[in-house]
Amino acid sequence: MLPFIFLLLLLFTGHLRERVSRLLSRSPWSFLAAQGFSLLGRDYGEKEEEESFELRNKEDLTPNGRSPADVTVSQPTRTANGTNGHTVSEAPEEMKSLIIDKNKMGLEEEPELLVKGWLLREVRGNWIKQRRYWFVLSQDSLDYYTGPEKGARRLGTLVLTSLCSVIWPDKQTYKETGYWSITVYGRKHCYRLYTKHFNEAVHWACAVQKIIDTKAPVETPTQLLIRDIEENKFNPEVVEHIYQHNPILKYTQGPLYAPLLPFPYGSLEHIYHSGKGYGSVREEAVKLFNCLQQLELAREPVPIIQGVLQTCLDLRTLRDEVYCQLVKQTSYTPAPYTAAHLRYWQLLTCMSCTFLPGPTVLKYLRFHLKRIQSQSPESEMDNYASFISEALEKTKCRECVPSWEEIQMLMSRQEMLCTVHYPGPGSCQLYISSHTTANEVVRRMQEKLGLQESKNTFALYEQNALWEQPVAGGALIADILTSFFTKESESKSQWKLCFKLYCLLDADSISSDSIEYLFLFEQCHEMVVRGQLPACEEDLQALAALRLQCLMGDFSTHAPCPPLDELFPGDMLEARVLMSLAAPQALPPCLVAAQGCPTTQRFPTGLLAGTLWSHTATAAHKQKVEQDMRLLSRLKEEAAAVMGSILERWKGLAGYNRRDSMAAYLTIARQWSGFGCTLYEVDFYISSTGSFSQKLWLGVAATSVSLYRQGEAEALESFPYGQICSYGVSDSNTFKITAGDRDLLFETTKLTEIMQLMNAYFSAIRRQRGKGEDADISKAESTDVGFRHLGSMQTPTLLELPSHPV
């Protein structure tokens, strides 16, 4: 009997040795998985229900060396004692998960020690305190012991992987505590270590970071399975086997305890968004899965969808994670045709129209969509999958989270209705998608209004009552509309999209019967009201009277007359009144006395000091109120006088029809040599000769760039495009033009707009001459424009001028 038992022990020992050697011959990840390495449960406490990952036997491997289902998932049910059916060891999980346990070997027996020494560690209990320990850094971990002596008891281990991170010592912590601090983030633990010596802290931080950098990237089971699916995508049986044996890929009603993709421990990216209440990226990934599950029961899903999209907009690294979670929740769903399940597809639709995943996840997503379409043809899931596939071909990264209206349209796979205004009271309504750009809308508006043959170019503008700005040609209209909601809530003013003339290349050939002529008239009047058409007051009153005749017809006392600020430049009125009030007014005696006193005696100390100061301040406030009332009264008087003159002129225009009034208006406006240019306010201008001026107008026209004093009709200087060698953004607020041997510098807040307009003019002129390659004229999408020169040519022709890419 004894020999038989001894023989059985030998056989068992040999089998065990062979099993161990097989495990050691595998990849590090396979060995970790064989040791019971649990990813989804390892970050959120041993008491929570975990998902354990196991490895298939070597006999099940495919010819490529890995089983298509080598990473399998089992979710054991929780037993009564809360151990999930596993034997729970008393050793800390951190010490037995990622490396072979070092048992209790003494420090002198450790073969790979790199750095060792005494450090203070922050210990959290009932209160935070620091304790001194002997720390040892090896190739695998950062350990600490009771002391440096042989046989010292190891108190803790922080396993080092590629996901660990180190925070270097900073001066602020030193000022607060008197110690230099480094922080090492691990999977389960975070060590905050302190030393009085800066060099020692840097030495430890460098050493730990070097170990982290040498570690192979950690791959999660989801990543391994995605790779297996990609390798076997043309073998449906193998793919089906992968899904059937890996619940991690399929819909689950339970919570997720760790991300599906690897994220650094203690990631600090969320600090930049701390004002929005974000935690670490790993924590946010788990929270997002909880939000996804709430969609099934939510009465109103739009706020949840907006919240998920906002998080992905703020934390870019989470986009792939959310895509993987959505693919998981739309695979093997128990009730795939219910409204609750379709919520996942609706969120996936919104994601696909807002962000693109990375290349690997994008392939996985496309495979998933084709698989769903083949499994459920002619279903709602098929319709969503088809819509998402098309969206992925067009999507650019959005600047704004889709609005409530856009999300509702995407949930039903419909387009939005967008209202585009044009000069005058007109507007058009167009259907747009999440991918429609400003250039597309401009082309459609030209077709709708019959402006395809115009020699001039058009653009979209963001506009409210006081401000407007051209929209970049590649900008997404959905983003523009979404930004309007934010702007309107902040400024309480209404915003709109407006289609207008952009480059006036040929004003003479515009037919007076065309809608383009109306555009020219309306935009010219906008310049007049803003005070950007230099003309004498008599001409301005004549223009105002012609405007009334055009809008209202012949004079009538019963016709509602628009306010003066819609007919006449208000700045001219204010300037005239301010000049009349410029003479110094008599000050109260107390103020005169105060102005004559030395500084040290102006505010005497003593019991009456407060009374004297109060009296002086009250007198100054009273004087200001009186001046404001006087200014307002004078403005009303001046406005009434100007309006009376305009009405008298209006009476003399009886019989003029609308076309005649517009023609007469434009005839007066054309008397200015700069007619048709776009004016930008320049805060400061300096030429290469050293002369400088402030508060000028920079006029950008079809043939030249000119400088004007504000309100003056004659240009100070003018530079035809044939003389301009180069132009561009010199720094954050300086625009530079090189004309011949002169360098002109302008300080302005309109850098982007000036750059876009000059690019558009150059592009349009070259296209008209038949030498340009770009058929479409659009505006630059970025302000990051380099300053470009033209080599050594002394007299470049117009076609050789630099034209920045548009």
Side-chain angles (χ1 to χ4, degrees):
M1 186 66 181
L2 287 175
F4 179 74
I5 293 175
F6 182 73
L7 180 61
L8 287 178
L9 287 173
L10 285 177
L11 289 173
F12 177 77
T13 305
H15 175 73
L16 181 61
R17 185 181 300 110
E18 180 183 357
R19 178 69 174 170
V20 171
S21 65
R22 262 207 312 257
L23 287 173
L24 292 174
S25 66
R26 294 179 182 174
S27 63
W29 173 260
S30 302
F31 178 74
L32 300 181
Q35 293 295 317
F37 172 62
S38 171
L39 181 75
L40 292 187
R42 61 192 173 92
D43 279 347
Y44 295 90
E46 292 81 10
K47 292 185 178 180
E48 295 177 332
E49 185 172 318
E50 300 182 350
E51 293 181 348
S52 59
F53 298 88
E54 299 173 352
L55 208 66
R56 285 289 181 186
N57 293 330
K58 193 172 183 180
E59 290 77 8
D60 297 332
L61 295 177
T62 57
N64 65 2
R66 282 206 350 224
S67 167
D70 56 359
V71 184
T72 62
V73 180
S74 61
Q75 283 190 294
T77 56
R78 187 184 297 276
T79 58
N81 59 7
T83 61
N84 289 341
H86 300 295
T87 303
V88 180
S89 171
E90 294 181 0
E93 184 187 352
E94 182 78 22
M95 299 175 62
K96 63 181 182 181
S97 298
L98 295 175
I99 61 171
I100 301 174
D101 190 66
K102 301 174 186 175
N103 298 321
K104 294 184 179 179
M105 65 172 64
L107 294 178
E108 281 71 10
E109 300 174 17
E110 179 62 61
E112 297 180 346
L113 294 185
L114 299 177
V115 183
K116 55 186 178 181
W118 290 102
L119 290 172
L120 294 173
R121 185 195 169 202
E122 185 178 283
V123 180
R124 293 177 178 267
N126 294 332
W127 59 84
I128 299 175
K129 52 189 174 182
Q130 296 173 350
R131 289 185 178 176
R132 190 166 175 260
Y133 298 104
W134 182 259
F135 279 84
V136 175
L137 176 65
S138 68
Q139 286 289 349
D140 293 315
S141 63
L142 179 62
D143 308 316
Y144 66 97
Y145 297 80
T146 55
E149 64 275 1
K150 183 177 180 179
R153 186 163 60 95
R154 183 172 57 194
L155 301 175
T157 293
L158 190 149
V159 179
L160 297 175
T161 68
S162 63
L163 299 182
C164 295
S165 57
V166 181
I167 297 181
W168 285 54
D170 64 282
K171 189 173 290 186
Q172 184 62 33
T173 304
Y174 179 75
K175 288 180 179 179
E176 294 174 356
T177 64
Y179 291 92
W180 295 101
S181 167
I182 68 167
T183 304
V184 184
Y185 286 100
R187 180 174 60 88
K188 290 284 289 184
H189 301 299
C190 169
Y191 287 177
R192 290 181 174 86
L193 310 176
Y194 299 87
T195 176
K196 282 189 171 294
H197 305 290
F198 176 73
N199 290 339
E200 185 178 9
V202 171
H203 182 64
W204 276 99
C206 288
V208 174
Q209 188 62 55
K210 284 181 180 179
I211 296 297
I212 294 172
D213 294 339
T214 61
K215 297 297 180 181
V218 172
E219 288 186 296
T220 64
T222 300
Q223 285 180 302
L224 294 174
L225 292 169
I226 289 175
R227 187 187 307 161
D228 285 334
I229 290 172
E230 175 64 23
E231 292 173 357
N232 297 277
K233 61 184 178 182
F234 298 114
N235 191 336
E237 294 181 359
V238 174
V239 171
E240 187 65 24
H241 182 74
I242 293 174
Y243 275 97
Q244 291 299 333
H245 290 79
N246 291 279
I248 189 62
L249 295 175
K250 299 189 289 186
Y251 171 89
T252 179
Q253 288 183 330
L256 199 66
Y257 296 113
L260 301 178
L261 302 178
F263 294 107
Y265 308 127
S267 175
L268 301 179
E269 295 178 20
H270 66 278
I271 288 180
Y272 301 109
H273 303 277
S274 58
K276 298 184 179 181
Y278 290 122
S280 71
V281 179
R282 296 176 63 82
E283 293 169 349
E284 293 303 324
V286 176
K287 291 177 184 177
L288 282 174
F289 188 77
N290 182 44
C291 291
L292 266 55
Q293 292 179 315
Q294 291 177 20
L295 277 174
E296 295 186 38
L297 303 175
R299 181 174 300 177
E300 180 51 71
V302 175
I304 297 178
I305 292 175
Q306 271 191 322
V308 172
L309 295 177
Q310 185 66 56
T311 302
C312 291
L313 179 69
D314 295 337
L315 305 178
R316 185 185 183 92
T317 54
L318 287 177
R319 296 173 189 176
D320 281 0
E321 173 72 19
V322 174
Y323 270 112
C324 289
Q325 292 180 6
L326 287 171
V327 171
K328 169 183 171 66
Q329 292 301 90
T330 51
S331 300
Y332 290 92
T333 311
Y337 301 104
T338 61
H341 171 250
L342 289 179
R343 294 281 176 82
Y344 291 113
W345 284 101
Q346 291 164 353
L347 175 53
L348 190 55
T349 300
C350 295
M351 283 287 294
S352 68
C353 292
T354 310
F355 313 109
L356 277 179
T360 302
V361 176
L362 181 59
K363 289 181 182 179
Y364 177 47
L365 174 61
R366 291 189 187 281
F367 174 81
H368 172 68
L369 297 174
K370 291 179 180 178
R371 189 164 177 270
I372 293 296
Q373 287 182 284
S374 64
Q375 290 178 345
S376 306
E378 305 301 326
S379 66
E380 273 293 277
M381 293 186 297
D382 181 18
N383 295 334
Y384 277 112
S386 177
F387 185 90
I388 293 168
S389 297
E390 293 178 8
L392 292 172
E393 298 290 339
K394 306 173 186 177
T395 296
K396 301 177 182 179
C397 183
R398 296 282 294 273
E399 295 181 1
C400 303
V401 169
S403 64
W404 187 291
E405 178 189 4
E406 184 182 353
I407 290 175
Q408 288 181 318
M409 293 297 102
L410 288 174
M411 289 172 64
S412 55
R413 305 187 303 277
Q414 296 178 355
E415 293 187 326
M416 292 185 295
L417 199 58
C418 171
T419 301
V420 181
H421 301 264
Y422 53 82
S427 64
C428 291
Q429 288 192 318
L430 304 173
Y431 281 100
I432 63 167
S433 69
S434 299
H435 318 288
T436 304
T437 64
N439 277 338
E440 293 176 46
V441 171
V442 167
R443 283 194 289 269
R444 287 162 63 181
M445 287 293 293
Q446 285 182 272
E447 293 171 2
K448 207 167 182 107
L449 299 174
L451 297 170
Q452 303 96 312
E453 303 301 323
S454 173
K455 296 180 181 180
N456 303 303
T457 63
F458 301 84
L460 285 181
Y461 286 77
E462 299 177 62
Q463 191 179 79
N464 69 359
L466 303 174
W467 186 86
E468 71 174 15
Q469 178 179 342
V471 177
L476 297 176
I477 298 301
D479 273 344
I480 302 297
L481 296 179
T482 303
S483 69
F484 285 171
F485 290 105
T486 304
K487 291 177 179 178
E488 288 176 359
S489 63
E490 292 175 352
S491 62
K492 306 299 182 184
S493 62
Q494 187 175 2
W495 287 79
K496 62 183 180 181
L497 275 177
C498 192
F499 174 78
K500 300 173 62 176
L501 275 165
Y502 186 60
C503 293
L504 190 60
L505 298 165
D506 186 1
D508 298 328
S509 63
I510 300 176
S511 170
S512 60
D513 295 326
S514 67
I515 193 170
E516 191 174 4
Y517 196 76
L518 173 63
F519 283 17
L520 183 62
F521 169 70
E522 292 288 346
Q523 291 183 227
C524 180
H525 182 66
E526 286 180 7
M527 291 185 66
V528 170
V529 173
R530 293 173 186 167
Q532 292 184 329
L533 187 80
C536 64
E537 183 171 349
E538 185 177 351
D539 285 343
L540 292 174
Q541 290 183 9
L543 291 174
L546 288 167
R547 174 71 174 178
L548 285 172
Q549 184 69 18
C550 180
L551 294 178
M552 319 283 299
D554 291 345
F555 174 79
S556 171
T557 55
H558 302 291
C561 191
L564 182 63
D565 59 2
E566 295 181 10
L567 302 170
F568 191 85
D571 291 343
M572 180 173 286
L573 278 180
E574 292 182 11
R576 184 190 305 167
V577 171
L578 288 174
M579 286 182 63
S580 67
L581 296 176
Q585 302 295 323
L587 295 176
C590 59
L591 286 182
V592 175
Q595 287 184 344
C597 293
T599 305
T600 55
Q601 299 178 4
R602 185 171 299 175
F603 307 114
T605 58
L607 295 176
L608 300 178
T611 305
L612 291 174
W613 169 242
S614 175
H615 177 67
T616 303
T618 302
H621 175 71
K622 184 178 179 181
Q623 181 195 16
K624 186 178 184 307
V625 171
E626 291 176 354
Q627 287 179 343
D628 291 344
M629 292 179 63
R630 190 182 304 113
L631 175 62
L632 185 60
S633 176
R634 288 294 303 275
L635 279 174
K636 289 181 179 180
E637 292 174 5
E638 198 68 34
V642 171
M643 194 66 184
S645 300
I646 292 173
L647 294 178
E648 287 300 319
R649 291 176 179 273
W650 182 21
K651 294 176 183 178
L653 296 175
Y656 273 61
N657 59 27
R658 191 163 183 264
R659 184 191 302 177
D660 294 338
S661 301
M662 292 169 60
Y665 191 105
L666 291 174
T667 299
I668 297 174
R670 288 175 193 271
Q671 295 175 4
W672 178 42
S673 60
F675 177 79
C677 75
T678 304
L679 294 176
Y680 299 98
E681 189 172 274
V682 176
D683 297 323
F684 183 80
Y685 158 68
I686 184 170
S687 67
S688 56
T689 60
S691 61
F692 64 91
S693 303
Q694 291 180 313
K695 296 299 181 184
L696 300 177
W697 279 335
L698 178 67
V700 181
T703 57
S704 63
V705 174
S706 304
L707 278 166
Y708 299 89
R709 283 198 177 93
Q710 294 187 5
E712 294 187 5
E714 294 299 322
L716 290 175
E717 293 187 272
S718 186
F719 307 97
Y721 289 144
Q723 297 178 7
I724 297 178
C725 300
S726 60
Y727 65 92
V729 177
S730 179
D731 57 37
S732 59
N733 65 340
T734 304
F735 190 77
K736 182 177 181 181
I737 295 178
T738 301
D741 58 349
R742 298 182 60 188
D743 289 334
L744 312 170
L745 296 175
F746 309 95
E747 284 191 5
T748 176
T749 58
K750 301 291 186 178
L751 291 177
T752 305
E753 297 178 35
I754 295 172
M755 196 73 197
Q756 291 172 354
L757 185 57
M758 289 186 68
N759 285 341
Y761 270 124
F762 277 122
S763 180
I765 293 171
R766 297 173 79 175
R767 182 191 63 180
Q768 288 188 358
R769 296 201 175 190
K771 298 289 181 73
E773 296 180 359
D774 298 331
D776 294 324
I777 300 173
S778 62
K779 296 167 287 300
E781 297 182 40
S782 170
T783 59
D784 186 16
V785 184
F787 188 73
R788 298 169 56 175
H789 293 275
L790 275 184
S792 59
M793 290 188 296
Q794 295 181 355
T795 55
T797 64
L798 180 62
L799 295 181
E800 295 168 336
L801 285 173
S803 180
H804 297 268
V806 293

